[in-house]
Amino acid sequence: MRFNITDGVKHLIIINVVVFIGTLTLGDGKLFDSLFTMFFPTNDMFQPWQVVTHMFMHAGPAHLLFNMFALWMFGTPVEQRLGTKKFLFVYFSAGFGALLFQLGYYYVDYFSAMQSIADLNFGSELLHQIMNINALSGDYIQGEILHQKMIPLLNEANFTTPISNDQFKAIFDLNVLNRSAMVGASGCIMGILAAFGMMNPNAELMMIFLPIPIKAKYFIPGIILLDVISAITGTSFFSPSNTAYMAHVGGAVIGFLIMWYWKKNDMNKFRWN
């Protein structure tokens, strides 16, 4: 079997691999994570360029390998049909769409939590300090640590209003949201997968752990539906539990909308084939 790869896909894979090597080797393995991961906008570590750089970051070798394999498998035929410029337009548009969907999902919880603590009348600076408390114990945020580290901040601000259990839970949720982070090209690749499905609706696809051929026009919507269910229920079907499921949905939706528009206008300058 001949190994074909297009220029756009090849260069994207190279960049992703180089960034991953840098993530492992530079600054004790922490420099790239602190600079290029997409942090929640209220986090002290957030920087504007992270809206782009997080698309080239990966959490581990398996994450990188799976994404790059999918990029090669689906990105190559899509780029062959669209050309490099339009392929990259779909790829990065899907990545931005993925980010917006996931942030929008986070902000629903953010505004709900903010509403719950509105009566406390935290000043903006005090709230910012509390949200940026490092209450991690291993990989998990601990309520006891958060409470202990809050006390000096509240005393310094002369804050004496009692905090109820429900309000503390909201504060805890805000701290968790503030530490949420996004890495990976999955959103971009979901957009490319949607484009592939629009071009090849009857192509038969299957998962490694479910070797049953399913046509793309059923397979891809099914994957998106599972991601929606996972985002709502927290139940993971095929992905790790810390997957940004709405990012997958956002990438696929943007990829579909772009291809739908180009297909609809396939007789004019916006044609895609």
Side-chain angles (χ1 to χ4, degrees):
M1 179 178 177
R2 184 179 177 184
F3 182 87
N4 293 318
I5 188 168
T6 47
D7 285 344
V9 169
K10 178 177 67 176
H11 287 101
L12 285 172
I13 290 175
I14 291 171
I15 294 171
N16 275 277
V17 171
V18 169
V19 170
F20 185 69
I21 293 172
T23 302
L24 295 178
T25 59
L26 298 180
D28 295 326
K30 298 178 181 179
L31 178 63
F32 275 29
D33 278 335
S34 62
L35 288 176
F36 302 140
T37 295
M38 176 65 200
F39 291 98
F40 196 69
T42 58
N43 193 300
D44 286 337
M45 298 178 71
F46 170 75
Q47 297 293 340
W49 59 75
Q50 294 167 1
V51 300
V52 175
T53 57
H54 81 280
M55 301 180 199
F56 298 98
M57 296 286 291
H58 287 85
H63 190 203
L64 175 71
L65 181 62
F66 182 84
N67 275 350
M68 295 304 97
F69 177 75
L71 176 57
W72 163 70
M73 176 174 285
F74 299 108
T76 296
V78 171
E79 185 178 357
Q80 287 172 340
R81 292 282 294 277
L82 291 181
T84 300
K85 288 183 179 180
K86 287 190 174 181
F87 163 76
L88 291 176
F89 178 78
V90 175
Y91 184 89
F92 285 107
S93 295
F96 290 127
L99 175 61
L100 289 176
F101 267 61
Q102 188 64 41
L103 282 181
Y105 183 73
Y106 283 153
Y107 267 106
V108 170
D109 292 336
Y110 173 81
F111 288 123
S112 176
M114 289 291 287
Q115 186 66 31
S116 298
I117 64 170
D119 292 342
L120 295 176
N121 294 314
F122 281 145
S124 59
E125 180 59 28
L126 176 59
L127 179 60
H128 180 80
Q129 290 176 331
I130 291 173
M131 288 179 64
N132 280 276
I133 289 174
N134 183 355
L136 285 173
S137 177
D139 293 330
Y140 298 96
I141 295 173
Q142 298 293 329
E144 296 84 356
I145 299 176
L146 177 62
H147 181 264
Q148 291 171 4
K149 292 188 175 182
M150 273 179 56
I151 294 175
L153 296 176
L154 297 176
N155 291 338
E156 185 178 344
N158 296 316
F159 185 87
T160 58
T161 304
I163 298 175
S164 69
N165 290 336
D166 287 342
Q167 289 170 329
F168 181 77
K169 182 182 182 303
I171 293 170
F172 179 87
D173 291 341
L174 285 171
N175 190 273
V176 171
L177 279 170
N178 190 65
R179 296 197 67 85
S180 62
M182 290 177 59
V183 294
S186 300
C188 306
I189 292 167
M190 286 297 292
I192 296 302
L193 181 61
F196 176 88
M198 290 284 286
M199 293 176 175
N200 307 279
N202 293 314
E204 293 188 338
L205 306 174
M206 57 185 176
M207 298 180 179
I208 295 174
F209 34 77
L210 185 64
I212 302 172
I214 304 172
K215 290 185 177 180
K217 59 185 177 183
Y218 305 123
F219 181 91
I220 296 171
I223 292 294
I224 297 170
L225 177 61
L226 290 178
D227 277 326
V228 172
I229 294 173
S230 293
I232 295 173
T233 66
T235 301
S236 177
F237 293 96
F238 305 116
S239 304
S241 59
N242 62 346
T243 298
Y245 298 108
M246 290 307 296
H248 289 185
V249 176
V253 167
I254 296 302
F256 168 80
L257 289 176
I258 292 172
M259 296 304 299
W260 173 82
Y261 179 77
W262 283 347
K263 185 175 182 179
K264 180 181 177 182
N265 295 278
D266 63 358
M267 297 306 293
N268 62 24
K269 65 180 180 179
F270 297 109
R271 62 183 297 154
W272 57 270
N273 58 356

